[in-house]
Amino acid sequence: MVRRVPGASAMTERVHSKRLRSRIMDAAEAVERFVPDRGSIAFSCMGGSSLAKEVPEALGRAASSGRTFDVTLLTGGATTARFEAAIASIGIRRRFPYLSGPARKAVNDGSVEFFDTRIGEVPESIRRGHYTGGRPIDVAVIEATAIDERGHIIPSLSVDALPAFVDASRQIIVEVNRRKPDLTGLHDIYRVRPGAPVPIRNVRDRIGKPYVSVPPGKIAAIVLTDREEEPSAAYSGTVPVDRRIADAVASFLEGELHSGGGDGGFTLQLGAGPLAAALLDALPFRNLDIWTEGIPARWAEALGDKVRGISTTAMYLLPGEEDILDRLFRRMDRVRRDVVLRPYDVSNSLEVISRLNVVTVQQAIEVDLFGGANTSHIGSQIHNGVGGSPDFDRAARLVVVAMPSTAADGRFSRIVPLLSSADIPRQDVDVLITEQGRADLRSLSARERAEVIIDRCSHPAYRERLEAYYRAARAKGGHLPFDLKAALRFFEGMPPS
């Protein structure tokens, strides 16, 4: 017997398929009936956006009541603090391909196995069962804003790997969130076929369907909710140093465009996080086209002003910006016209990124003296994952890495002799920008790169120490001079006296 949700009748208009209305139930019953004790479970999301809200909490309550789980967890991207708290007590053995917040501890202490992956490759890996031993995902949990008469799913504000989760799963639990409007017309769901060109030439091109097709038998349960979005656990709000760096990036891009380096224009890609939000205020351009993996929702407020069109896989919130979605939903006609939400294998397609003349602004945890960047680890400790940065860095026309020169209130230099994780090779990085200055690395040799990065981008508190390291490394010789003992002395010298 299906337990009906109290007060659900007022919300069932979002489930237009009368046949599927019989599958509406509360989250506790959905978890009890369809989430296995052992197996795999996937949650669609990106940057915490459009993450299921009822099912994770029901999972946590089930675990607290004595039910034991042993699962492989897949998420489309970064989650939220509330999600991580809800699932903290269930038995997660393996997790892919991205993490954030409290999940780091379990991975770093070895109790959860994890390996990060380039986001653009994730949908195909999901469909091929690479994360689940060649087997289908037991259950995928996705947020939707409606289910149409034929049972098609209208996604929420994130498409991420959702179509791949649907394709690769045995069954699906759909959370229909009435807090958002029905977003029909915002999405472009296209299935990439190996060897076939992706026929996109402009940011706002639509080449797929405005919904996700699902075999009716796959939808095991529909859970109704009326819950607000939450900021991601992976990102912080903007701080003054972000705004200084954004001003420096804007100045560089303006000069690049006026010098002819942009060949009359470019499409902009933004790395995730607070710098992406700060850039909206700093960029002096009008009618920008944005092709990116994820974007702060506040960028949609600039449509018709600074921004002409946005193609992304998700629109997410940063802390302190929770009211933005209400304003965005009041302009949905404009948003539907000029914003397109796509799956990862389209948004991160190297072919399309190259064709659209993309300039990418990435962020990093640390950069070495030759321009290589680490985007995923702090020492040996995982911080998040590489995400989509390797996709854009390999295919973009111009790669800018922008970051503060120090971390932890100045206690650590982010310009370092050697990287703990070489996620972006030096050959892909064209320009490095910190709040201290800018280093244009194009056409420079390895040794010249080291000198200009130390001189222009490092923090004064660490510049002398970096120079001492590089003198010792250069004395060893070689095209890429390094000295392990001198590097150790550099790291042991932190924090500065």
Side-chain angles (χ1 to χ4, degrees), residues 11 37 40 94 146 185 187 213 234 267 276 340 390 460 496:
M11 305 206 310
D37 294 343
S40 54
R94 305 173 68 79
H187 312 90
S213 298
T267 301
V340 186

Side-chain angles (χ1 to χ4, degrees), residues 37-169:
D37 294 343
R38 297 174 62 88
S40 54
I41 182 169
F43 286 91
S44 170
C45 66
M46 191 276 171
S49 176
S50 306
L51 180 61
K53 299 161 181 63
E54 308 293 345
V55 171
E57 293 181 4
L59 268 172
R61 290 192 296 271
S64 299
S65 299
R67 186 176 172 189
T68 58
F69 295 92
D70 182 356
V71 300
T72 293
L73 174 67
L74 309 179
T75 65
T79 61
T80 65
R82 174 172 258 172
F83 174 88
E84 296 296 340
I87 66 165
S89 58
I90 75 171
I92 299 171
R93 183 176 296 274
R94 305 173 68 79
R95 182 168 181 159
F96 303 101
Y98 198 87
L99 54 78
S100 56
R104 298 167 184 147
K105 182 180 185 301
V107 170
N108 286 318
D109 68 23
S111 59
V112 174
E113 300 298 335
F114 172 79
F115 192 80
D116 53 341
T117 306
R118 299 182 185 101
I119 286 294
E121 299 172 2
V122 165
E124 187 65 14
S125 292
I126 290 169
R127 291 184 173 106
R128 291 180 177 272
H130 291 169
Y131 303 122
T132 50
R135 296 181 294 276
I137 298 167
D138 288 301
V139 61
V141 186
I142 63 178
E143 183 177 274
T145 59
I147 299 176
D148 72 14
E149 292 85 351
R150 292 179 293 172
H152 298 145
I153 292 172
I154 309 302
S156 188
L157 288 174
S158 180
V159 177
D160 55 271
L162 187 156
F165 287 148
V166 168
D167 290 346
S169 62

